[in-house]
Amino acid sequence: MRATFHLKTLAVAIATLSVASMTNAAGLDRSGQDITAFLQDGTYAEAVYTYIDADVTGNDNAYVGTSDTAYVKGNKTGDIAESYDFFRYGVKTDINDTFSVGILYDEPFGAAAAYTGDNNFTGAPTAAIDGLIAQQLDGKVPGQTITSAAGLDAYVKGVQQQLAAGREQVRQGEAAIAANPALESTLRPQIVAGKAQIAAGEAQVAPLVGLNGYAAGQLANTEGTNVEVRSESITAILGAKFGANKEFQIYGGPVAQRIEAQTRLRGSAYDLATGYTSNSNPDMDYGWLAGVSYSKPEIALKAALTYRSEIDHKMDITETYPLAGLLAGNPAAATQTNEMEITTPKSVNFDFQTGINPTTLATAKVRWVPWSDFAIVPPLYNQISKRATGDDVGLPLVDYDDDQWQVELGLAKRLAPALAVSGTVGWDSGSGDPTTSLGPIDGYYSVGLGAKYNVTPEWAVSVGGKYLWFGDAKGKLPTQQIVGDFQDNDGYILGMKLSYQGK
């Protein structure tokens, strides 16, 4: 007699796999955009909490020269990956034996990185400022060779002292004439010549004062580079089953997505972009989801293919770029608010499970995200970057070279009527190496364990964890210059889920 593996029998083992199973390292991917809550039978609800702690350390680039790809091991960066957590919620019910509805909430995209310590990503960008001064003043100050911020400051202060002395002499001459008008013919020519010299000196030193003020402001900076990206997503799904045994289902629905970001670039690694700061206002925009699934309850088989669309955002972003104020000759031009467009990527998820025997379930998840199509291009940053590229395209703040592929395989075993355990192994391709210095990881390998306990036939608590070995990566600027090397890094994920499943 053929054994059958009814889904209700194996349900205790299924949900353990999704507690901490789809948290990603490629691009800005975070939640994996899991929809398996909608694929459960009957009325189902879940609340999932996930905590991630990664250790991402490396060294800055001590190379001095003209090659963008050369690297010499420099100072340690410390751990740049900030721990973060997020929630996922889902609820689904069957209207009848054909139609189902559900609502899912997750936080699909995000980033949290901060540099600390003594390295090229923190503090005063001395080398970059000295280089700018040497370039700007080469041969432009008669009789002077100024190649550093210290040299410029000394020269400007010296000229200002001379101008102050000249003004004092003019004041004394005017006072002498007022006290003794007979000195008019003698002192007036000297006063006129002195005023002319002062005016010429002020005109000569004025642009140097602006450059000196810019340099002083940047060299006084003691902050570190950091970035934070947050997003939220709500998906409404309607599904319709068809086929002789209702084994097929098509589903789809609208997606509302909210996203915001903050960036601070500090230290000499970012060259003349150092001091750049941006804050984007939260923006809500909309996309869609569509998919198809197949089930065969007698062997506990389920397979689902889900497509999520791109979502185009238009948001207000306030940028402060000190170099912009210097180039414009107007400090107020350093801060601007403009509209920025950003498109979060489309994705394809494949979810599969099948029973091996009446107490064991095998699962597989595959995810594809075309991160090579994604870029963050703040308007002011891009405008100033065109001076470096010499074209009308400029540079993005963040982009990626490769698409992400992720594969995760798992087994779940029911040990007792109310208890099941699970294990997973996973691989993430990453999105290219070298990659952005704001997230220098090139994919990972992972292993995970989980357990689920049914408190009642309907209510269950699941816990899970995963250990990740991150791929080594070099950090680069949008100019393709290598600024750091990050090796031998790892992290872990912990998750907990409360779920309800009724008829």
Side-chain angles (χ1 to χ4, degrees):
M1 182 175 180
R2 187 179 65 177
T4 59
F5 313 146
H6 294 291
L7 286 177
K8 196 65 177 178
T9 305
L10 286 177
V12 72
I14 295 172
T16 60
L17 295 168
S18 60
V19 175
S21 63
M22 290 297 285
T23 303
N24 307 276
L28 301 177
D29 218 354
R30 180 165 282 186
S31 74
Q33 297 180 300
D34 186 274
I35 69 146
T36 53
F38 179 75
L39 302 177
Q40 303 303 313
D41 289 338
T43 297
Y44 179 82
E46 67 176 23
V48 184
Y49 171 78
T50 303
Y51 173 82
I52 301 175
D53 193 343
D55 184 10
V56 180
T57 64
N59 296 82
D60 64 17
N61 193 353
Y63 170 77
V64 178
T66 58
S67 173
D68 286 340
T69 59
Y71 175 78
V72 175
K73 186 176 182 179
N75 293 335
K76 294 181 178 180
T77 64
D79 183 8
I80 72 167
E82 296 188 312
S83 61
Y84 60 89
D85 57 5
F86 60 91
F87 289 90
R88 186 175 80 238
Y89 306 100
V91 61
K92 171 262 177 185
T93 191
D94 295 329
I95 299 174
N96 51 41
D97 63 352
T98 298
F99 294 102
S100 302
V101 294
I103 296 178
L104 307 177
Y105 167 89
D106 74 340
E107 301 178 26
F109 306 114
Y115 285 87
T116 57
D118 181 16
N119 55 71
N120 290 342
F121 301 96
T122 64
T126 304
I129 297 303
D130 286 350
L132 172 65
I133 289 170
Q135 179 185 29
Q136 292 288 314
L137 300 184
D138 183 22
K140 296 181 180 179
V141 182
Q144 299 289 328
T145 301
I146 302 175
T147 60
S148 67
L152 174 62
D153 187 60
Y155 177 74
V156 168
K157 288 180 178 178
V159 172
Q160 288 176 332
Q161 289 175 354
Q162 293 175 5
L163 292 174
R167 294 188 193 95
E168 178 60 21
Q169 290 178 355
V170 168
R171 188 194 67 78
Q172 291 177 0
E174 295 283 9
I177 291 174
N180 184 1
L183 298 175
E184 174 73 31
S185 58
T186 302
L187 297 181
R188 183 56 61 188
Q190 297 177 15
I191 291 172
V192 172
K195 287 183 176 180
Q197 291 177 349
I198 291 170
E202 289 175 338
Q204 182 181 13
V205 80
L208 301 184
V209 171
L211 179 58
N212 193 48
Y214 164 80
Q218 296 310 299
L219 295 178
N221 199 321
T222 60
E223 299 175 330
T225 295
N226 69 78
V227 60
E228 183 173 5
V229 179
R230 288 275 183 181
S231 68
E232 297 175 285
S233 178
I234 296 178
T235 303
I237 307 179
L238 172 66
K241 297 182 177 69
F242 63 96
N245 299 309
K246 303 291 186 179
E247 66 271 27
F248 292 98
Q249 180 179 215
I250 57 172
Y251 53 89
V255 179
Q257 187 182 90
R258 180 181 183 270
I259 192 167
E260 60 182 313
Q262 295 82 40
T263 303
R264 290 165 181 43
L265 304 183
R266 303 293 186 264
S268 59
Y270 297 99
D271 198 48
L272 300 183
T274 188
Y276 175 83
T277 300
S278 68
N279 292 280
S280 67
N281 290 342
D283 177 75
M284 177 78 78
D285 236 303
Y286 304 91
W288 54 274
L289 167 152
V292 58
S293 66
Y294 171 80
S295 66
K296 192 172 184 180
E298 58 267 29
I299 59 171
L301 186 149
K302 277 190 177 183
L305 186 67
T306 307
Y307 173 86
R308 284 181 180 267
S309 73
E310 296 179 337
I311 297 181
D312 297 323
H313 292 269
K314 291 184 178 180
M315 60 184 69
D316 290 335
I317 181 172
T318 299
E319 302 172 81
T320 297
Y321 200 151
L323 182 63
L326 176 66
L327 295 175
N330 176 16
T335 299
Q336 298 182 20
T337 298
N338 298 292
E339 185 179 79
M340 178 178 71
E341 296 183 3
I342 182 173
T343 299
T344 55
K346 59 189 175 185
S347 64
V348 177
N349 281 19
F350 176 68
D351 296 279
F352 177 84
Q353 68 175 49
T354 187
I356 297 177
N357 60 49
T359 62
T360 306
L361 191 75
T363 65
K365 292 175 178 285
V366 180
R367 177 169 167 81
W368 172 77
V369 186
W371 284 108
S372 60
D373 296 336
F374 175 82
I376 299 176
V377 189
L380 181 57
Y381 181 94
N382 179 255
Q383 174 189 334
I384 301 302
S385 74
K386 293 175 183 178
R387 297 176 62 91
T389 62
D391 56 33
D392 294 331
V393 178
L395 297 170
L397 177 63
V398 174
D399 66 346
Y400 300 98
D401 293 333
D402 298 335
D403 296 343
Q404 172 196 12
W405 283 94
Q406 186 188 67
V407 179
E408 185 170 274
L409 306 176
L411 282 175
K413 177 72 174 178
R414 180 164 58 88
L415 301 181
L419 177 65
V421 295
S422 65
T424 62
V425 294
W427 167 78
D428 187 297
S429 68
S431 51
D433 177 28
T435 188
T436 171
S437 61
L438 302 178
I441 293 173
D442 186 29
Y444 62 73
Y445 291 94
S446 70
V447 295
L449 294 174
K452 179 184 177 185
Y453 181 75
N454 271 66
V455 181
T456 72
E458 293 81 21
W459 290 94
V461 176
S462 305
V463 295
K466 181 193 287 186
Y467 183 79
L468 305 98
W469 294 267
F470 295 127
D472 298 343
K474 284 186 168 61
K476 68 176 181 178
L477 302 183
T479 60
Q480 307 303 310
Q481 180 181 353
I482 301 299
V483 291
D485 188 23
F486 301 81
Q487 299 186 16
D488 301 324
N489 293 309
D490 57 10
Y492 65 88
I493 304 168
L494 300 175
M496 181 169 62
K497 172 162 64 177
L498 176 65
S499 60
Y500 169 87
Q501 187 164 24
K503 294 181 180 180

